Amino acid sequence: MTYEELQIQHEHLNIIEMDLSGVNGLKGLYVDGNIAVDENIPEKEKACILAEELGHYYTTTGNILDQSKAENRKQEYHARLWAYNKQIGLTGIVDAFRSGCRNRHEAAEYLGVTEEFLMDALEAYRKKYGICTTVENYIIYFEPCIGVMEITSD
């Protein structure tokens, strides 16, 4: 989804853009139903950041800024996985393949995400599903590199 589509879908939340460049390198922040997104980043990256902050809204409890705690890292992972599923998902990977995307740059463009976000999502899916997983009549391979193969019934 685009940044604007995410905003519209979540208009019940207070989503604001502001200059976060001086806040320890943060590009987004969620606090008590309020989401701040850095106004100085490209639109596609804003969508990825907003999706992750929405993931915190839906999955996080309490202050998890201290990432030295295992429980906080676990909540961060769940928020990111929520964002990956919202912006990409396994069906998105298959759709990109069916649309002719043959490398990560083309897939990221097709899905409307940054290449970094796509690569992080693929790594999260590899950790969750292992070497491969099946979606509809497709097998998605995560190792040794990303690949999609259609299963035919010949």
Side-chain angles (χ1 to χ4, degrees):
M1 298 187 93
T2 66
Y3 180 69
E4 184 178 355
E5 289 169 336
L6 286 169
Q7 285 179 304
I8 291 168
Q9 190 177 70
H10 296 89
E11 63 187 0
H12 62 283
L13 297 174
N14 184 31
I15 301 170
I16 61 168
E17 288 186 30
M18 59 189 301
D19 185 358
L20 294 176
S21 59
V23 188
N24 296 329
L26 287 178
K27 295 181 180 180
L29 183 64
Y30 167 75
V31 178
D32 298 328
N34 299 290
I35 296 175
V37 177
D38 192 339
E39 65 190 5
N40 301 309
I41 58 177
E43 203 75 7
K44 191 182 297 182
E45 188 175 2
K46 282 182 187 176
C48 297
I49 299 299
L50 179 54
E52 182 180 335
E53 298 311 323
L54 288 167
H56 286 295
Y57 170 75
Y58 288 108
T59 67
T60 302
T61 304
N63 181 340
I64 66 164
L65 290 175
D66 182 358
Q67 288 292 296
S68 67
K69 296 179 181 178
E71 178 58 31
N72 291 352
R73 288 191 306 273
K74 185 176 180 180
Q75 288 195 68
E76 183 68 32
Y77 171 79
H78 286 293
R80 288 184 181 179
L81 192 58
W82 188 96
Y84 300 147
N85 288 334
K86 182 72 172 173
Q87 294 298 93
I88 300 170
L90 296 176
T91 56
I93 296 168
V94 169
D95 289 345
F97 170 78
R98 286 195 292 221
S99 293
C101 300
R102 295 297 178 256
N103 60 50
R104 69 180 182 209
H105 174 75
E106 291 175 353
E109 282 295 315
Y110 175 82
L111 295 165
V113 299
T114 64
E115 284 186 50
E116 179 183 9
F117 189 85
L118 175 61
M119 296 309 293
D120 290 346
L122 293 173
E123 178 61 18
Y125 292 149
R126 185 195 62 76
K127 287 179 181 175
K128 182 175 181 177
Y129 298 108
I131 294 172
C132 65
T133 191
T134 304
V135 177
E136 300 168 5
N137 60 328
Y138 293 88
I139 301 173
I140 302 172
Y141 290 93
F142 301 108
E143 288 184 12
C145 60
I146 184 71
V148 179
M149 183 175 75
E150 186 173 11
I151 303 168
T152 58
S153 58
D154 290 21

